[in-house]
Amino acid sequence: MPLLADEPTRALVSLEMLLRNNYIFPTLGNEAYLNKPPLFNWILAGAMYLIKDYKEWHLRLISIIPLFIIAITHYVIISKEINKKVALWSSLAFLTCGRILFYDSMMAYIDPLFSLFIVLNTYWMFIQSRKPLSLYFFIVSYLLCLLAFFLKGLPALSFQGCTLLAVCLYRNKIKSLLSLNHLTGIAVFFLFTAIYYYEYGTYANTSTLFTNIVSQSSQRTPLATEISDSLIHLVQFPVQFILDFAPLSFLIVFVFRKNTWSILKENEFVLLSLVFIVSNIWLYWISSETRARYLFMFLPMFFTIAFYMYEKYRSTLSEKIIKAIALLIGILLVVMLIALNFIERFSFIEHKEFITVGLITLIGIYLFFNYRYSFPGILSIVIALILVRITFNFYILPLREKEAPESKNRLIGKKIGELTKNDRLIILNRAPVNHDQLYYMTKERHALVEQNYKAIAPQKYLKFKKKILPISIDSVPREGIIRRLNDTLVVNDSTFEYYQKKNRLEKIRERKNVPKGYYICTQLDAVRYELKTIFLFEVTHQGLTLALAKK
């Protein structure tokens, strides 16, 4: 699959770090990139450096691995704090929820890694807060917060503040927040951030960067959205949460019982999981621009509560219902596999008949052993979901790659990169190139694409001095004017020379040709600067056609 959505942006920033050999001042298209702190780009750049012939899936591993680390860490901790069944089921539910299994596990996003540091920090607070809150407790916590901050900025501070306050209130240790140990932890956080931003300040103004960090963090909050959108989101959020992380998220129904509170209080870790969710999720609940991937850090705690209550109240009937759902998934999957062979859109898949037979055989083996040995209901669901994902890999992913506009953009970027590999490549007058096209051409060239080159048109301009206007701009003879640009005239040579002699010009811009090289520009600029068009290509997100041209 080509890079999708935000992936090209992250990859391009990282690639430019390598090419510029500058890891302090991130750039995108050779211009300052202010939207995200640099840690994720440092990791991507490190992967690019170590894996010389890196592919898209290498970059995506950086997001996939944290998901497994979260699941393993969660299993180890919950096994000790509750029991192995709740630990296993909640870990598997996390990895096989719909949003992760069929989308975010295939994307090089920041959020899985960010969620990993939030989960580690949260579990650290849960466990270590049983003892006096030492200097060691605060320093480790703020170092984890620091790593999260260098991934996504201010949301890390929100989690740190809300979770620490909630844990201290639960433990009745609120005075510890005013202790020297806590202030030292804060000082360690600000020391490392100050070192980085001091170095950043040697390249650019940090006030612009900080303004953008605040803007990025607040743009999805109620402060930046319509009231009506926020109100609709308030109602939809719980339902959308369950749907995004289905199917095992529906087990939350076991929480809605009369004696739920007393059951939750039986285990401290379960209750702390609820405390974490309540103290942090409110910010996402009121933000209408919340995306499912922003909520990954809540899932281990959410599934812990759901499966804890499920184990308390599960019955023969509930087990039968879950097994029936797993069986239904298997049967529907077989029907779908047969149907896919008769759909024209999938005709391009090679050996699909053999793939179909193999998958149906695999499903048959699963159904046989499930019937023979009576797998637990949750395990049946998990295996069925994995079979769906395997089918997804063979049929849906190839279709996505074939039909996605990003696949075409990858080909365009590589083609431009090959043609211009040993020459100068300039984006003329800020032509709006897609980030994925720009990434692939930069990767192919292994050289930066020059951005923000403002060429000077090969024409004569007049701009009259405002303080000495014995004549009006409108009095210039029409036959000498090519066109008018507000208070500036584009004129022919004779008119230009006449007014130059009269000394009535504020600025004189002589004819100047663009330097030799390749250009990405609009078709109009290609004509305007007398460039030879090599080929035309579309910019998908702008609906424009640009030209690769040569001088």
Side-chain angles (χ1 to χ4, degrees):
M1 285 286 289
L3 296 182
L4 307 167
D6 292 339
E7 291 182 304
T9 303
R10 312 284 173 242
L12 182 57
V13 172
S14 307
L15 181 55
E16 290 192 8
M17 280 183 170
L18 280 176
L19 295 176
R20 294 170 59 249
N21 196 28
N22 186 332
Y23 301 91
I24 302 298
F25 183 66
T27 60
L28 179 65
N30 226 8
E31 294 184 313
Y33 178 70
L34 308 173
N35 287 0
K36 288 289 184 291
L39 180 55
F40 191 74
N41 300 116
W42 290 342
I43 297 170
L44 278 179
M48 292 174 177
Y49 178 79
L50 293 173
I51 309 169
K52 302 301 181 184
D53 188 26
Y54 60 89
K55 309 295 183 186
E56 289 88 349
W57 69 271
H58 290 118
L59 306 182
R60 287 166 177 152
L61 278 176
I62 297 167
S63 292
I64 296 170
I65 291 172
L67 295 173
F68 283 96
I69 296 176
I70 290 173
I72 294 168
T73 303
H74 176 75
Y75 174 78
V76 171
I77 291 174
I78 299 303
S79 294
K80 295 177 180 178
E81 298 292 338
I82 304 176
N83 61 56
K84 289 187 177 181
K85 268 192 177 181
V86 172
L88 179 61
W89 298 149
S90 54
S91 299
L92 291 175
F94 171 76
L95 290 175
T96 58
C97 68
R99 182 73 192 200
I100 288 178
L101 190 62
F102 297 106
Y103 188 76
D104 290 294
S105 61
M106 300 178 287
M107 305 292 284
Y109 281 153
I110 295 174
D111 303 274
L113 188 57
F114 176 75
S115 296
L116 171 62
F117 291 130
I118 297 299
V119 170
L120 291 176
N121 197 4
T122 301
Y123 283 166
W124 172 260
M125 291 185 196
F126 285 1
I127 296 169
Q128 295 297 318
S129 62
R130 291 167 178 159
K131 301 178 287 188
L133 303 188
S134 63
L135 179 62
Y136 179 56
F137 169 86
F138 285 111
I139 287 180
V140 171
S141 179
Y142 274 96
L143 287 176
L144 289 169
C145 175
L146 178 73
L147 292 171
F149 177 81
F150 273 99
L151 285 169
K152 290 198 74 171
L154 295 183
L157 298 182
S158 170
F159 277 103
Q160 180 72 4
C162 292
T163 306
L164 190 56
L165 177 60
V167 169
C168 287
L169 285 171
Y170 178 83
R171 299 289 190 194
N172 197 23
K173 296 181 178 181
I174 196 69
K175 290 182 180 179
S176 298
L177 296 179
L178 302 176
S179 67
L180 182 61
N181 290 339
H182 185 211
L183 294 177
T184 304
I186 294 173
V188 168
F189 174 87
F190 280 109
L191 173 64
F192 283 102
T193 53
I195 290 171
Y196 170 74
Y197 288 114
Y198 174 79
E199 290 296 321
Y200 185 94
T202 62
Y203 294 94
N205 190 341
T206 54
S207 62
T208 305
L209 175 65
F210 292 139
T211 301
N212 202 74
I213 289 174
V214 174
S215 174
Q216 280 286 304
S217 299
S218 62
Q219 69 180 0
R220 299 189 187 279
T221 67
L223 299 174
T225 54
E226 296 289 337
I227 295 177
S228 58
D229 293 336
S230 296
L231 292 175
I232 292 170
H233 179 73
L234 283 172
V235 177
Q236 290 181 340
F237 179 80
V239 177
Q240 192 61 51
F241 184 95
I242 300 299
L243 294 175
D244 282 334
F245 304 115
L248 292 173
S249 57
F250 285 102
L251 292 179
I252 197 66
V253 296
F254 285 91
V255 171
F256 299 104
R257 304 181 72 92
K258 289 182 180 180
N259 58 341
T260 294
W261 182 245
S262 61
I263 297 296
L264 292 177
K265 289 195 295 183
E266 289 177 2
N267 186 285
E268 179 189 76
F269 215 83
V270 176
L271 189 56
L272 278 170
S273 296
L274 179 62
V275 167
F276 169 78
I277 292 172
V278 171
S279 61
N280 287 281
I281 206 167
W282 61 272
L283 186 59
Y284 296 91
W285 199 324
I286 64 174
S287 303
S288 62
E289 293 298 316
T290 293
R291 301 288 183 266
R293 65 180 183 271
Y294 301 166
L295 306 171
F296 288 167
M297 67 287 296
F298 295 104
L299 295 182
M301 294 75 171
F302 171 82
F303 284 121
T304 296
I305 296 169
F307 281 99
Y308 181 77
M309 296 301 293
Y310 169 75
E311 287 296 325
K312 290 285 184 180
Y313 290 109
R314 70 177 180 140
S315 62
T316 304
L317 177 62
S318 62
E319 188 73 5
K320 285 182 178 179
I321 291 172
I322 293 172
K323 286 186 176 182
I325 293 171
L327 177 62
L328 180 62
I329 292 173
I331 294 171
L332 290 176
L333 190 55
V334 171
V335 173
M336 185 186 74
L337 281 167
I338 295 171
L340 288 176
N341 283 271
F342 298 95
I343 298 175
E344 183 63 28
R345 288 178 69 191
F346 295 94
S347 60
F348 70 95
I349 297 176
E350 295 181 357
H351 313 300
K352 63 178 183 296
E353 295 82 4
F354 295 102
I355 294 172
T356 300
V357 171
L359 289 173
I360 290 176
T361 303
L362 193 61
I363 295 166
I365 293 171
Y366 151 70
L367 293 174
F368 171 78
F369 280 98
N370 191 13
Y371 174 77
R372 180 75 179 269
Y373 297 103
S374 188
F375 295 160
I378 303 301
L379 182 59
S380 300
I381 288 279
V382 168
I383 295 173
L385 289 171
I386 292 171
L387 289 171
V388 174
R389 174 55 204 260
I390 293 171
T391 304
F392 187 86
N393 289 348
F394 279 107
Y395 284 92
I396 306 303
L397 289 184
L399 182 68
R400 278 188 183 177
E401 183 172 10
K402 178 177 179 288
E403 297 184 351
E406 289 84 359
S407 295
K408 185 177 180 181
N409 290 340
R410 176 171 59 182
L411 293 175
I412 290 169
K414 287 185 174 183
K415 182 178 179 180
I416 292 174
E418 290 170 0
L419 289 172
T420 64
K421 202 160 194 174
N422 299 314
D423 290 284
R424 189 178 182 187
L425 178 60
I426 301 166
I427 297 176
L428 190 61
N429 290 337
R430 294 182 176 272
V433 186
N434 286 7
H435 286 174
D436 52 355
Q437 294 170 343
L438 189 55
Y439 164 72
Y440 284 111
M441 65 180 74
T442 303
K443 182 176 182 290
E444 191 69 30
R445 287 164 47 81
H446 202 68
L448 292 171
V449 178
E450 297 179 43
Q451 178 78 293
N452 198 29
Y453 182 89
K454 294 183 178 180
I456 299 173
Q459 294 174 322
K460 301 290 180 79
Y461 290 79
L462 294 183
K463 190 169 185 179
F464 289 89
K465 291 183 178 180
K466 293 180 180 178
K467 292 183 179 179
I468 47 173
L469 275 177
I471 60 171
S472 166
I473 192 171
D474 294 322
S475 65
V476 177
R478 288 186 179 180
E479 59 269 20
I481 300 173
I482 298 174
R483 68 177 183 277
R484 179 170 178 169
L485 305 170
N486 297 323
D487 62 340
T488 302
L489 298 179
V490 181
V491 297
N492 59 29
D493 288 351
S494 59
T495 305
F496 180 87
E497 291 168 4
Y498 173 80
Y499 283 98
Q500 184 180 15
K501 290 177 183 178
K502 293 288 185 181
N503 192 29
R504 307 228 181 264
L505 301 178
E506 183 178 308
K507 186 183 288 185
I508 301 173
R509 289 197 270 179
E510 297 290 346
R511 175 186 290 262
K512 182 179 179 180
N513 292 325
V514 294
K516 290 183 178 181
Y518 285 91
Y519 291 86
I520 295 173
C521 58
T522 63
Q523 295 178 75
L524 179 62
D525 277 344
V527 174
R528 187 183 184 195
Y529 298 107
E530 300 176 352
L531 304 175
K532 179 183 178 182
T533 298
I534 308 299
F535 71 88
L536 302 176
F537 63 94
E538 292 181 356
V539 183
T540 52
H541 71 283
Q542 293 282 350
L544 298 175
T545 298
L546 297 182
L548 174 67
K550 185 177 182 181
K551 181 68 176 181

